Structure formats: structure tokens, C-alpha cells
Amino acid sequence: MKLQEINILDIENIKLGHATNKEAATGVTTVICERGAKVGACIFGGGPANRDFSMADPLTATQVIHAVVLGGGSAFGLDAGGGVQEYLEKKGIGLDVGVTRVPLVSEINLFDLTVGKYDVRPDHQMGYEAAANAYEEKTEFPVGNVGVGTGASHGKAYGIDRAMKSGFGTYAVQIGELKVGAIVAVNCFGDVFDIDDGHQISGLLNPEKNGLDNSEWALYQTVVKDTNLFVGNTSIGAVITNGDFTKDEMNKISRMAHGGYVRTIRPVNTTADGDSVFALSVGDVVANLDMVGTIASYVMGKAVNNAVLSAESEYGLIAAKDL
């Protein structure tokens, strides 16, 4: 059997929604799992901004969560998770505690403050809007300069001046009854490479801004300098499968999915990044963990490529399609 590309919306038991503030260059994207999703997660970068990330810890009592939120605004934008939570409570979704249901929501945010309006960040209302939008009928889920990817950029070894525009991307496949998909906002310090043939797609611009430079070589120049790297990065995403796995197994799959970053972003997992991946099990298909983890790595890499190639030039930043 071969991997067949599918629409990310073809994965059952999930709803996806964006909220976008184009003027401020920020936004929110949420994955809602009404029935609950067994969750794993990992942070390999050095600068994450997160809310209730610990619910993925195998030692916590909670076995499922009801939503994942990816947002802009750095730590300021973490209020968005409360808006998603409010919307889901009104719909009766969450952990039954007798007097109400408590939606369990995990969130991770990227840094987009230098692209648009630094003092306008995702808030409670934007999170609520993203959750409401997840319930709208749709046949395609928008990618590019939308939701969490609205203010995303990459190639920031020399700060935002020589960076390029990136955005939000998706990719999903099916093999037999098994489905595995990925969503990601690419906001990395480094450059982005094609997962299939390895060529550099985008990243650090050369001084003339008419071609590509190399972020790894730029980083090597800091060996003999006291350089404070620009701490304004983070690629954040989630892999979603209808495979039936435990919370422990989903944590393993999240780590394997992180390989998609490693295969497409260089350098990656620096102290200037907060690179993070959620992994959600939303179905009951029996599947091999190692196979799903390997597929998760590939679809995450393809989603990274999609996030860069679907981005539009905006906010003074050039996108790959226009270079």
C-alpha cells in the first residue's frame, strides 16, 4: 500500500478553526476534539510560551483533552485558550464535574510581535471566535497568512530585516483505514528545506534581499562573538491520527513527529526557538506505533513546506513564491 494524500478535514472527530487579525498580523488556530483526544506533546526548543501543556504528561490523571490552540502574541496571547474553553463549555463539551463541564485546552504560542502591531495580541475573544469558526461548514481549511500563521516569519539570524514571510500549513495522508495529518505554523530562526529533495526553499535573505543566504553559516559566525540571538521564533504544530493509541504512545509519536522539523528546518531546536509538537489520537484504527510515528514525521515536514510555499508576501516581508 502507498500513502495517499487527503484533505486534513477528512480526518474524523476533529474540527478546525481560524481567527485572524490581518491589520495586527496575528491570529489563532484551534483543533477541537468533542469526544476528547488522547494527547502527547514535546518541546525541543528553548523558548516556549504555553498553557496547560502538562496535560500531555503521562503522569497527569487526565487522559484526554478537548482542544489544542496555536496562537500568536507570544506569552501575551495565552488568553486565547480561555476563549476556546468558554465556547466549548457553552456547547456542553468537556470533563463532567457535576455542576458543569470543564473543557481541557492546551495551548502554545509563537512570537509575531515584530511583524504587525506588537501591542495587539490574540485575546479571549479571538479564541472564542476561532472555536466558533471551527463549527462552520467548510471543504478546505485555509493555509498561508491566516490564523496562527498570519504574522509568521523565518530566517531571522539577523533579525526581522532579512527574514522572509511564512505562514500556516497542513498536510495529511491515508494508508488503508489509517489517517495521519499535520498542521503547523512556521516561525523559525532557521531556513526551510524541501523534505523530498533537500533543496533550500526559503529562509535568511542575502544582504541584497534578492536571493537566499544560509542561517547555519550565519550562526557559525557567532562562535567568536558575544551575540544575543534574536529570541523571537517558534514553530508550533500538531499531528492528528485516527489510530488508537495510549497517552504514553502519543507522547512517543509527538517526538517522532518532531523529526519533520529536523528534516526541513536548519538550524532547529535552538535556544532562540520554542519548537513544539502536539500529537492527538482521535480514532479507533489499530495501527503500528512506529509506522504512525514515521508517517507523522513525514506529514509534519510536508506541512512545514506547505506553510512556507502557501505564504503571501506581506508586512514588508517577501514570501518564497515571490523571491
Side-chain angles (χ1 to χ4, degrees):
M1 290 189 290
K2 297 190 303 182
L3 296 179
Q4 175 187 354
E5 183 179 353
I6 60 173
N7 190 318
I8 189 74
L9 297 174
D10 291 339
I11 300 176
E12 56 268 27
N13 302 323
I14 62 168
K15 297 181 183 299
L16 301 174
H18 290 305
T20 302
N21 185 328
K22 292 291 285 186
E23 182 182 3
T26 194
V28 173
T29 300
T30 189
V31 184
I32 293 173
C33 311
E34 292 183 321
R35 304 193 326 184
K38 286 168 283 187
V39 61
C42 66
I43 299 173
F44 284 169
N50 63 76
R51 164 189 166 136
D52 284 341
F53 206 82
S54 63
M55 284 194 289
D57 188 331
L59 296 179
T60 58
T62 302
Q63 292 301 302
V64 300
I65 64 172
H66 303 98
V68 160
V69 180
L70 308 178
S74 189
F76 294 113
L78 291 172
D79 287 344
V84 174
Q85 198 169 38
E86 179 188 353
Y87 185 87
L88 295 182
E89 182 191 21
K90 288 181 177 179
K91 292 190 72 70
I93 296 167
L95 178 67
D96 189 353
V97 295
V99 293
T100 187
R101 288 185 177 270
V102 179
L104 302 178
V105 178
S106 292
E107 179 177 4
I108 191 113
N109 286 5
L110 55 76
F111 184 101
D112 54 10
L113 304 182
T114 55
V115 174
K117 295 184 176 180
Y118 79 91
D119 55 351
V120 178
R121 302 101 180 209
D123 56 12
H124 190 97
Q125 181 57 39
M126 184 173 278
Y128 191 96
E129 179 185 343
N133 289 342
Y135 282 83
E136 293 183 350
E137 289 293 327
K138 56 181 79 72
T139 56
E140 296 288 339
F141 193 53
V143 295
N145 301 13
V146 65
V148 63
T150 305
S153 57
H154 65 300
K156 289 172 277 190
Y158 295 119
I160 201 69
D161 183 59
R162 285 168 60 184
M164 289 182 65
K165 187 71 183 76
S166 47
F168 172 83
T170 70
Y171 193 79
V173 298
Q174 181 170 355
I175 181 168
E177 295 183 344
L178 178 72
K179 299 173 185 177
V180 185
I183 64 172
V184 66
V186 176
N187 195 59
C188 54
F189 171 87
D191 305 322
V192 173
F193 296 79
D194 187 279
I195 192 170
D196 292 315
D197 65 21
H199 80 275
Q200 185 175 348
I201 298 172
S202 58
L204 177 66
L205 290 171
N206 62 24
E208 296 75 29
K209 300 184 183 179
N210 59 5
L212 294 174
D213 210 327
N214 186 291
S215 292
E216 285 186 304
W217 282 105
L219 187 60
Y220 298 159
Q221 308 312 307
T222 68
V223 172
V224 294
K225 297 179 181 179
D226 182 15
T227 303
N228 181 24
L229 294 179
F230 176 66
V231 186
N233 316 285
T234 291
S235 293
I236 54 177
V239 292
I240 308 156
T241 180
N242 66 349
D244 185 13
F245 295 100
T246 67
K247 191 175 178 182
D248 286 351
E249 290 170 329
M250 292 313 296
N251 272 281
K252 176 60 177 176
I253 288 172
S254 74
R255 284 156 175 75
M256 295 182 73
H258 211 288
Y261 290 170
V262 175
R263 297 164 70 183
T264 55
I265 300 171
R266 297 202 295 268
V268 70
N269 299 332
T270 72
T271 58
D273 291 284
D275 298 334
S276 309
V277 177
F278 287 100
L280 303 172
S281 169
V282 297
D284 55 9
V285 174
V286 177
N288 178 274
L289 184 152
D290 291 319
M291 178 185 72
V292 173
T294 300
I295 295 173
S297 172
Y298 181 68
V299 296
M300 180 57 78
K302 292 289 282 187
V304 168
N305 290 170
N306 178 240
V308 168
L309 294 172
S310 63
E312 302 285 344
S313 298
E314 200 168 11
Y315 311 114
L317 299 173
I318 190 170
K321 63 174 62 177
D322 296 323
L323 185 62

